[in-house]
Amino acid sequence: MPSCAMRGLAIAAAMNLAAMCGGCAAPGLGAADGGTDGGAEPDGGCIAAPGVLEGERSVASRNLPALVWTGAAGEVRLDAFHAPCAAPGTLVVLRQLAAWSAPALWHVGHTAPLASMPGVTVLDLWAADGDAMPMTPAQLSVFSGFYDVAPGALVADPDETLGPLALAGIALPLVAVVDARTLHVERVLTDPRAGEVEQVVRAVQARLAGEPLPRTPDPVLVDGRFSRDRWDLIVDMARVPVPSASPSNAVADRPEAAALGHGLFEDPSISPAGVSCASCHDAARAFTDARPRGMGIAEVRRNTPTLLGAAWVRWPFWDGRADSLWAQALGPIESPEEMGSTRLEVAHRIAAAYRGPYETLFGALPPLEQASRFPARGMPGEPAWEAMDAADREAVTRVFANAGKALEAYQRTLPLPVSPLAAYVGGDFDALTQDQRHGLESYLVAGCAQCHSGPLLTNGAFHSIAMPGVGEGPDLDLGRASAFEALRASPFRAQGAFSDAPGTPDPLARLSTVPAATRGAFRTPTLRGIRLSAPYGHAGTFTGLRDVVRHYGHVRTLDPDPRVAGPPDPHLREFDDEHIDPIVRFLEIL
Ligand code: HEC
Ligand code: HEC
C-alpha cells in the first residue's frame, strides 16, 4: 500500500493542509485507558443489549447510547451497526480522528490490515480538518479517495463523540473496540502503536468467543525504541520539504524578486522611523528579537515569530489573519506601532532606490514624480490619500502589493537550520546522544507530535494551549477567533484584486460562524531553530524551553488565568515531570 507519507500528503494536499504524517504515542501507553469488563450473556443466538440504545445517555458509560452523526450521504446511526444475532467476536471499531493530527493520518493510511480482519467493521468519526476547524459532511468526500474505507463509514463528528472515553487527553486516533451484539465498548486505545489495534481486536474477539488469547510476536523496534509508526513520524520530521506553492504570487520563486525583497527587508528607509523588517526579525536569532513582544515605534502585543519555515505557513501571524506571506508583509509596514510607514512612502522609496529591479519584474512604476498626484505620504484613512484619484490610489496599492510579493520571495529562500536528526533517521544512530534519543522518545510519549509534526514540526493548525497573553478583560487576546473578520475585510486576500490567482477557492466560505474552539487558539509554531528564538509563546510569556514544556505537563490542571481566552485543547495529554528535561534536550537539536 502507499506509504504513510504519501497518503498523508495526498489528504493534506486535497484538504489544503500542510504535509504531515507519521504516528506517535508512547510504547505501552496506547491501551492504557482500556476497560475489559465483559459483554452481556448470549441468549439463544441473539444477545440482549442491556441499557443500550435506551436509557444510556453518556458515552463514557461504555454502553454506547443511540448516537447519530452526519455522513456525506446523510444521517449515519450507530444502531445500524447493532447486530444482536451476530457471531461472538463481531466488532465495530470506532475511530475518532482529525486531519490536523499526524498520528491520526498515519492510522488511516494503514487501515487495510484492520479493515480486512474477519468480523470487523470500521467507522471513522472525523472531528476537524487540517486547520482544526470543525469538520463538515461536505469535506468527507476527500478522505474516501485516499484510504480504504467505505464512503458510508465516514462521518463528520465536530463534537468528538468519543472524547469522554479518553481519561488523560484525547490523543488521536482514539479507538473504541465495540461488540456489535451489545454496542458495549470493550477496549479504548489512545494514539496506539502500529499494529496495536489489530492485536487488541484479536484479543477481544478471542475473549468474546471464549477462545484462548492469541500469541502476538513482539514488535520490531528501530534503534531499540521506536515502533514502525513512530519511526515513520520521526523520518517525516527530518524530511527536507519542498516549499508549498504560492499561487497568488506570480514572482514567489523568481530569484530577482528574492533579491529585491532582500533589499527591502533590510532597508530602514521604507519607514520614516527607520524601522526595517530586520529590526525585529534578526537573522542571528532565527529571525526573532529576543524580546517578549515585538518593538518598533512602540511595543506590540505579540511575540516576534521566527521566519524559518515561513515558506510553508498557510496562515501567517499567530492568529492567521493573513492568507499569504505577501499579504502579511503589508501589515507591519503600515502599522503605526511597527514601521509607521504608508504605501505611498514605500512606492517613493522603490522609485528612488529599486526602480530597475522593480520595473524588470513588475513593469513601469506610476509617475510618482508628479507630486500633485502622488503626495509623499498616504494610506487609506488619511486625508492626503483619500483626496487622490481612484486610479492613482489603485496604482500605488499595486506597487505596495508587489513590494509584499518581493518580500515573500526573499523569505521563501531562507534556509532551515541543519539538524542532526537528519543523520539519525539516515541510520547513523550515534548522530544523537543517548539523552537526545531519550528526549525524542519523551517527545512522542508526551504527545507533542500530535501538533508539532512533519518537517517543520508543526501542523499549521490553530489550538488553544492556555499560554497567557498580555491583555485581559476587553483587551483579552482572542487569537484565531478574532482573525476571520480581518481576513474577510482584507483587500490583499488570495481572492482579491491584487492576487495573481483571484479564482482561488475561499476556504473561509464554509464558515458561517466563528467556531468556539478558535477562542484563544493560536497557530502551532514551527520548532525548527527553537533554541534561538526565546522567549516563547504568542506573547513571549515563557522565558525558556523548560518553562514551556513544564506548562504542557500541567496544562490540564492549571488555575484559570484571566489572560487566557479559551480552555486548553482537549488533545493535550498529561505527562510526568521526568519527561521535561529530556524533551528540552531534544528541542535544542532542532
Ligand atoms: C516591530 C517589530 C516587527 C517588524 C518591524 C516586523 N515584524 Fe514581522 N512580526 C512581528 C510580530 C510581533 C509578529 C507577530 C504579529 C502577530 O501575529 O500578530 C510578526 C509576524 C511576522 C510574520 C508571520 C510569521 C508567522 O509564522 O506567522 C512574518 C512572515 C513577518 N512578520 C515578516 C515581516 C516582514 C516581511 C516585515 C517587514 C515588512 C516585518 N515582519 C516587520 C514583529 C515585526
Ligand atoms: C494540541 C496541539 C499542540 C500540542 C499537543 C503541543 N503543542 Fe506546542 N504549541 C502549540 C500551539 C498552538 C502553540 C502556540 C500557543 C501560543 O503561543 O499561545 C505552541 C507553542 C509551543 C512552543 C513555543 C514556540 C514559540 O516559538 O514560541 C514550544 C516550544 C512548544 N509548543 C513545544 C511543545 C512540546 C514540547 C509539546 C509536547 C509536550 C507540545 N508543544 C505539544 C500546539 C501544540
Side-chain angles (χ1 to χ4, degrees):
M1 76 181 314
S3 76
C4 158
M6 284 183 56
R7 281 177 180 264
L9 264 166
I11 294 174
M15 298 206 70
N16 194 21
L17 316 179
M20 55 184 188
C21 204
C24 84
L29 268 186
D33 306 341
T36 49
D37 31 339
E41 290 305 315
D43 171 20
C46 297
I47 189 163
V52 181
L53 310 181
E54 51 193 339
E56 291 288 344
R57 284 289 165 265
S58 161
V59 168
S61 73
R62 294 191 174 276
N63 277 331
L64 292 179
L67 298 169
V68 183
W69 302 278
T70 316
E75 198 177 87
V76 175
R77 308 180 61 90
L78 184 62
D79 317 21
F81 296 85
H82 187 208
C85 303
T90 306
L91 302 177
V92 184
V93 176
L94 300 177
R95 298 193 296 191
Q96 188 84 70
L97 302 161
W100 54 259
S101 159
L105 289 183
W106 193 95
H107 264 268
V108 300
H110 296 75
T111 295
L114 180 67
S116 62
M117 290 177 83
V120 171
T121 306
V122 177
L123 178 63
D124 282 346
L125 320 180
W126 285 95
D129 68 9
D131 287 328
M133 294 297 140
M135 183 67 73
T136 59
Q139 287 174 293
L140 291 170
S141 58
V142 166
F143 293 111
S144 53
F146 290 108
Y147 74 103
D148 309 311
V149 66
L154 291 170
V155 301
D157 182 21
D159 298 330
E160 294 200 69
T161 312
L162 302 186
L165 291 173
L167 303 178
I170 318 173
L172 297 173
L174 171 62
V175 181
V177 178
V178 177
D179 184 348
R181 300 172 307 162
T182 58
L183 296 188
H184 181 267
V185 178
E186 300 294 325
R187 288 290 296 273
V188 176
L189 298 96
T190 52
D191 192 5
R193 294 189 309 273
E196 199 176 343
V197 178
E198 291 85 341
Q199 192 181 326
V200 164
V201 161
R202 270 189 292 274
V204 170
Q205 286 183 324
R207 180 164 50 76
L208 293 175
E211 288 163 7
L213 218 65
R215 285 177 59 83
T216 39
D218 291 335
V220 180
L221 301 179
V222 182
D223 190 18
R225 299 163 191 268
F226 299 113
S227 56
R228 188 166 52 98
D229 56 327
R230 315 288 138 101
W231 185 249
D232 285 353
L233 186 74
I234 296 165
V235 171
D236 205 34
M237 289 178 353
R239 191 162 54 83
V240 177
V242 178
S244 15
S246 181
S248 66
N249 180 357
V251 302
D253 293 312
R254 294 270 300 270
E256 312 90 305
L260 170 61
H262 192 178
L264 294 171
F265 189 88
E266 290 177 355
D267 185 353
S269 301
I270 59 172
S271 150
V275 181
S276 71
C277 310
S279 310
C280 297
H281 296 284
D282 174 1
R285 300 181 188 276
F287 295 90
T288 64
D289 54 6
R291 296 177 44 86
R293 286 159 297 278
M295 178 71 152
I297 294 171
E299 185 174 80
V300 300
R301 68 172 181 168
R302 300 239 177 95
N303 175 260
T304 304
T306 182
L307 301 184
L308 299 176
W312 293 272
V313 171
R314 298 193 292 283
W315 299 103
F317 288 123
W318 284 100
D319 56 8
R321 66 182 184 282
D323 65 1
S324 69
L325 278 188
W326 67 266
Q328 186 286 328
L330 307 177
I333 299 177
E334 289 192 328
S335 156
E337 294 166 319
E338 295 181 66
M339 298 168 73
S341 190
T342 61
R343 54 195 72 183
L344 262 169
E345 284 163 289
V346 171
H348 284 297
R349 176 66 187 159
I350 287 175
Y354 307 94
R355 180 181 288 277
Y358 178 94
E359 293 193 333
T360 310
L361 279 160
F362 301 111
L365 282 161
L368 292 153
E369 59 290 348
Q370 296 181 21
S372 57
R373 280 172 65 191
F374 299 97
R377 179 187 163 91
M379 65 182 206
E382 293 188 354
W385 175 263
E386 303 302 339
M388 283 170 65
D389 195 75
D392 289 346
R393 280 184 296 186
E394 137 111 53
V396 170
T397 302
R398 196 160 290 282
V399 176
F400 188 46
N402 288 339
K405 290 176 183 175
L407 283 162
E408 169 170 8
Y410 165 61
Q411 293 176 84
R412 284 169 69 83
T413 65
L414 301 178
L416 290 170
V418 176
S419 164
L421 193 62
Y424 178 69
V425 303
D428 174 10
F429 293 150
D430 293 333
L432 299 193
T433 65
Q434 284 295 340
D435 268 6
Q436 291 161 347
R437 284 186 240 178
H438 180 49
L440 174 54
E441 224 176 330
S442 288
Y443 180 88
L444 299 176
V445 170
C448 308
Q450 287 281 327
C451 300
H452 297 283
S453 58
L456 281 308
L457 289 103
T458 171
N459 58 5
F462 299 88
H463 303 273
S464 170
I465 303 303
M467 288 185 169
V470 280
E472 50 181 273
D475 294 328
L476 185 63
D477 193 340
L478 298 181
R480 183 63 174 160
S482 63
F484 299 111
E485 215 179 296
L487 256 170
R488 288 210 170 93
S490 169
F492 301 118
R493 289 201 63 198
Q495 291 73 31
F498 301 98
S499 160
D500 296 322
T504 309
D506 182 357
L508 298 185
R510 65 185 181 80
L511 283 181
S512 51
T513 54
V514 175
T518 60
R519 223 184 123 87
F522 295 87
R523 203 190 70 237
T524 310
T526 179
L527 299 180
R528 299 302 307 274
I530 192 73
R531 68 182 180 284
L532 300 169
S533 65
Y536 302 107
H538 68 271
T541 31
F542 295 86
T543 315
L545 286 173
R546 209 174 179 286
D547 309 309
V548 177
V549 182
R550 213 184 160 281
H551 169 82
Y552 277 109
H554 298 268
V555 70
R556 297 173 64 83
T557 51
L558 288 177
D559 291 334
D561 185 322
R563 301 166 302 166
V564 171
D569 191 292
H571 306 92
L572 296 169
R573 82 187 307 176
E574 279 165 354
F575 55 90
D576 293 335
D577 280 359
E578 72 197 39
H579 292 297
I580 296 176
D581 284 324
I583 291 175
V584 171
R585 295 289 91 76
F586 171 64
L587 296 178
E588 285 167 350
I589 63 161
L590 296 171

